[in-house]
Structure formats: C-alpha cells, structure tokens
C-alpha cells in the first residue's frame, strides 16, 4: 500500500481562492441571511468532527472553522447544523447504520444517496438554503440527484480543503448543494469571487449515447425530454466518445481506496471493530493496493484527463443523467453490493479529471411507471464543462428550460 509520504498534494487551480475569515467580501458575493448546513466532514469551530463514524466518537472539538466555512461565514452565512453523511464519506448510498442517516425526503423507504446525504436532505426539506458537501466520486451530485436539489462539484481545488477530513487527496473536492443553480452560484461567488453569468445562450452540447442506453427507462425518458427541449430552444446536441465506465471505475477505485487506507490507517489498525462493515472492507481492500498499481492508476488518470479535455474542446459541455437509476429502497441498498458502482457510473469521471460537474433536478417523465399515488422520484441531469462558470451557466439554462416541462 502507498504510504502517506507517497500521496500527492491535492492540486489546485492556478488562481488563488478566498482566504477565509480574513477575506473582504464584495457586496455582490454577500450571503446575509443564508442558512448554511455543513457536512460533518468539514470543521466547524467548537464542534467535534465525527465524520459519521463511531470510530471517531471521541474526537475533540475543532479549534477553528475549515477555510470554506470561515469564508462563507465572513460573507454573512448563518452556519447551522453539522449534518449526516455516509461513514467517513466512503460510500454512495448514504446508508449509515453506525450512527443513523436521513431518509429520502420524497419517499422515506428510499436512500438519500451519499456520501453528502444530510447536506442534500437539509436543502430538499428547506432546513437549509445552502449546504457544504464533499465529492470524491460523486458524493455531492448523487444525493442531489436522488433528493431533487442542485449539487455542484467545482474544478479540483477551486474551494480550499483546509479543515476538511481527507478521504482521497487526488479525488476529493468540496462542493455546494442548493435549491437552485442561482443559490449555488451565489455560494460559488462568495468562495471564489467568480462573477457567474446567467443562463448560457444556445451552443453545442455533447451526449454520451451509452449513458442513456444503460439508464433505467424513467431516467432515460426524463433526460430525453430535456434534451428535446434544449434542441427546440436552439442547442445543438451531438454524440461524443467518452471514456469507458469500466476503465474509469478501475482507475478511481485504485486511487481512492489506496489513499483512503493510507489516510485512515490509524482507524483501520486500532478501531476496525467500530467501523461499518462496508467501510472497513473498502479500507482493507485499499491496504492491499500495491505501490506499482497506485502509480499506474495515477498515470492512467492523466491520460483520461487529456481525453476528456479533447472532447470538451469541441463542445460547451457534456450532459446526461447524473445517476442512471431512481433512488433505490434502503432494503435494496443493503442487499445489493453492486449498487455503489451503479450510482457512481456517470459521476466518477469528473473527479478523476478534476473538472466541474453539476446535477440539476429535472421533472420526471409522465411515463414514470410508479403506481397511482406513488411519489414522483427525482431525476438528476448532469452538466460537465471545462470551467466552473461554464458549467453553472449551462446548468442555469437547463434549469430554466426544464421548468417549462409539465
């Protein structure tokens, strides 16, 4: 297994980010009155950082806010509760039998998605106006899609990770969840100073045909309706060649598991019995990753980054379903060990290449097969672009057009 000395620094963008509480917030970036929920993986001064794990039940209060919390607090946000997550942020269902978890607000028998489960549920239920999450393989966008809110993973390093418990330094991103693209864009502006434009004018979008072909019918139908609406509004939609899912899955699993095992070695060595079975097995698998396999995966990640960059040179964004299935039931999640791989099948590419991706809720198809009286389950529409403001602008256009659908 790679040692901590072998792990790369978490790379960031060429431009600086806001400098926490010392930053002077321009008026347009103020968040006065915005209620902020914080994933319990992100430090808030005076609170223990337990990361949803019994193995961290004795964690002391944090001495200071994480940089992202300090910056948003300085911008006027009211920092509310620290909210639930999949244990150690190492899972995508949101099911955490160690310390409990919130159900999906649209159907309490279904999963909220993870790992930023509490962040998505807080926004979906109106308990928060904005929430901080983290995203290592889709952990902001998956719960956003399953709970029907907006989830944004920016460019790697766009938001500082100081004070955020590490899972995988190569793949970790801090992200935002909100009820609308505009709400998320306001948070992004406060954190970066970016002047986010409104909805993008019609341009050229890429779609991976396989992403629609493997999606469950209600998801494919809902995304297809939005694509038809985009075409009718003047957008050109073309098929693109996207890296194969199996390849992305192998590369990201190797990197993520190896780095997670290295970062959480003390928990695995001294508190394994206090870890959930799913998280413990992933850490144990990561401990078995060889140095050569890890370095090979990093090299393959660089190749994937070049391939995705070439695709985005030809289109404004690549779009499609965030998650290929509707929210599974909690019982299904517990009984289906292959479900995590399904949930991340469209999201992990964004982490390995470090480019921005955002999930926007879109209306379910009228052909949704749910029975009479059953709640309509959310569908997420993912936008991935070469720059943060481009992803937000295209997402705003998608959101605007989706609102016109019945």
């Amino acid at each position: 297994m790679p040692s901590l000395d072998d792990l790369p620094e978490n790379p960031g963008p060429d431009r600086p980010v806001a400098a926490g509480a010392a930053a002077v917030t321009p008026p347009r970036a103020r968040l006065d009155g915005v209620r902020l929920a914080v994933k319990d993986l992100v430090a808030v001064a005076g609170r223990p950082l337990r990361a949803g794990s019994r193995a961290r039940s004795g964690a002391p209060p944090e001495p200071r806010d994480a940089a992202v919390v300090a910056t948003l607090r300085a911008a006027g946000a009211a920092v509310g509760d620290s909210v639930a997550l999949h244990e150690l942020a190492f899972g995508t269902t949101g099911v955490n039998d160690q310390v409990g978890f919130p159900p999906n607000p649209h159907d309490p028998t279904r999963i909220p998605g993870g790992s930023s489960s509490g962040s998505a549920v807080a926004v979906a239920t109106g308990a928060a106006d904005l929430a901080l999450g983290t995203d290592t393989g889709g952990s902001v966008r998956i719960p956003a899609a399953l709970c029907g809110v907006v989830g944004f993973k920016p460019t790697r390093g766009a938001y500082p990770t100081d004070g955020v418990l590490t899972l995988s330094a190569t793949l970790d991103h801090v992200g935002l969840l909100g009820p609308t693209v505009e709400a998320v864009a306001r948070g992004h502006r406060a954190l970066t100073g970016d002047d986010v434009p409104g909805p993008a004018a019609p341009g050229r979008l890429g779609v991976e045909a396989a992403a629609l072909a493997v999606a469950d019918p209600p998801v494919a139908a809902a995304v297809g309706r939005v694509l038809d609406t985009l075409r009718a509004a003047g957008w050109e939609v073309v098929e693109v060649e996207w890296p194969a899912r199996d390849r992305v899955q192998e590369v990201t699993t190797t990197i993520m598991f190896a780095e997670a095992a290295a970062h959480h070695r003390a928990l695995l060595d001294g508190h394994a019995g206090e870890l959930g079975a799913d998280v413990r097995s992933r850490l144990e698998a990561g401990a078995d990753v060889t140095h050569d396999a890890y370095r090979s995966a990093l090299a393959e990640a660089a190749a994937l980054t070049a391939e995705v960059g070439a695709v985005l040179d030809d289109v404004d964004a690549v779009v499609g379903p965030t998650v290929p299935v509707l929210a599974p039931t909690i019982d299904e999640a517990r009984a289906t060990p292959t479900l995590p791989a399904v949930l991340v099948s469209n999201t992990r590419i964004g982490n390995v290449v470090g480019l921005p991706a955002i999930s926007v809720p879109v209306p379910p198809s009228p052909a949704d097969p749910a029975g009479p009286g059953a709640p309509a389950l959310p569908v997420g529409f993912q936008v991935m672009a070469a720059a943060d403001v481009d992803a937000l602008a295209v997402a705003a256009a998608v959101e605007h057009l989706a609102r016109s659908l019945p």
Side-chain angles (χ1 to χ4, degrees), residues 2-399:
S3 71
L4 285 170
D5 292 338
D6 295 324
L7 303 185
E9 293 293 327
N10 194 353
D14 293 333
R15 59 180 175 79
V17 297
V24 177
T25 310
R28 278 177 52 79
R30 296 295 303 176
L31 297 175
D32 297 308
V34 170
R35 299 167 300 155
L36 178 70
V38 181
K39 184 178 184 177
D40 191 20
L41 199 75
V42 181
V44 177
R47 299 180 192 170
L49 189 59
R50 295 194 173 101
S53 179
R54 287 195 298 116
R56 290 182 56 87
S57 59
E62 290 294 312
R64 63 186 63 84
D65 286 340
V68 282
V69 174
T71 301
L72 295 175
R73 196 194 292 275
V79 178
D81 292 339
S82 294
V83 292
L85 66 154
H86 201 115
E87 185 179 13
L88 298 181
F90 207 2
T92 56
T93 65
V95 174
N96 186 338
D97 292 322
Q98 296 296 96
V99 298
F101 60 96
N104 191 300
H106 297 268
D107 180 345
T109 71
R110 296 179 183 271
I111 65 170
S115 63
S116 304
S117 52
S119 301
V121 171
V123 171
T125 59
D129 304 310
L130 191 67
L132 281 167
T134 63
D135 191 312
T136 306
S139 286
V140 162
R141 291 160 288 155
I142 292 165
L146 300 187
C147 291
V149 301
V150 175
F152 177 51
K153 180 201 78 63
T155 303
R156 181 187 292 126
Y159 305 162
T161 56
D162 302 21
V164 180
L165 191 67
T166 299
L167 182 67
S168 166
T170 299
L171 304 176
D172 284 350
H173 298 65
V174 177
L176 291 168
L177 299 95
T180 63
V181 175
E182 181 183 7
V184 167
R186 287 183 66 198
H188 177 78
R189 183 184 296 119
L191 286 168
T192 65
D194 284 346
D195 192 8
V196 182
R204 182 177 168 88
L205 300 176
V207 177
E208 181 198 9
L212 288 174
V214 301
D216 281 358
V219 174
V223 170
R225 285 207 308 154
V226 175
L227 292 174
D228 288 343
T229 303
L230 286 162
R231 291 186 185 96
W235 289 83
E236 182 184 5
V237 179
V238 299
E239 288 189 14
V240 294
E241 291 292 330
W242 209 230
R245 282 168 177 70
D246 290 349
R247 179 182 170 207
V248 173
Q249 186 84 356
E250 181 179 357
V251 169
T252 52
T253 296
T254 299
I255 294 170
M256 186 188 305
F257 281 35
E259 293 185 354
H263 284 293
H264 291 299
R265 184 179 298 136
L267 289 183
L268 188 58
D269 290 345
H271 300 272
E274 299 172 75
L275 295 168
D278 61 332
V279 170
R280 183 174 64 250
S281 67
R282 291 177 190 132
L283 291 175
E284 289 170 346
D288 289 336
V289 174
T290 67
H291 180 89
D292 287 347
Y294 173 68
R295 288 294 167 186
S296 177
L298 290 177
E300 186 66 7
L304 287 166
T305 301
E307 291 170 29
V308 168
V311 173
L312 287 169
D313 282 342
D314 191 49
V315 294
D316 298 308
V318 173
V319 300
T322 308
V323 179
V325 296
L326 299 176
T329 67
I330 295 168
D331 289 343
E332 288 170 338
R334 289 185 173 129
T336 312
T338 57
L339 179 61
V342 173
L343 295 175
V344 300
S345 57
N346 296 333
T347 56
R348 274 198 182 179
I349 186 66
N351 298 86
V352 74
V353 304
L355 293 178
I358 181 168
S359 180
V360 180
V362 296
S365 167
D368 191 324
L377 296 173
V379 173
F381 187 100
Q382 182 171 243
V383 175
M384 184 172 166
D388 294 335
V389 294
D390 296 336
L392 288 163
V394 173
V398 170
E399 180 183 66

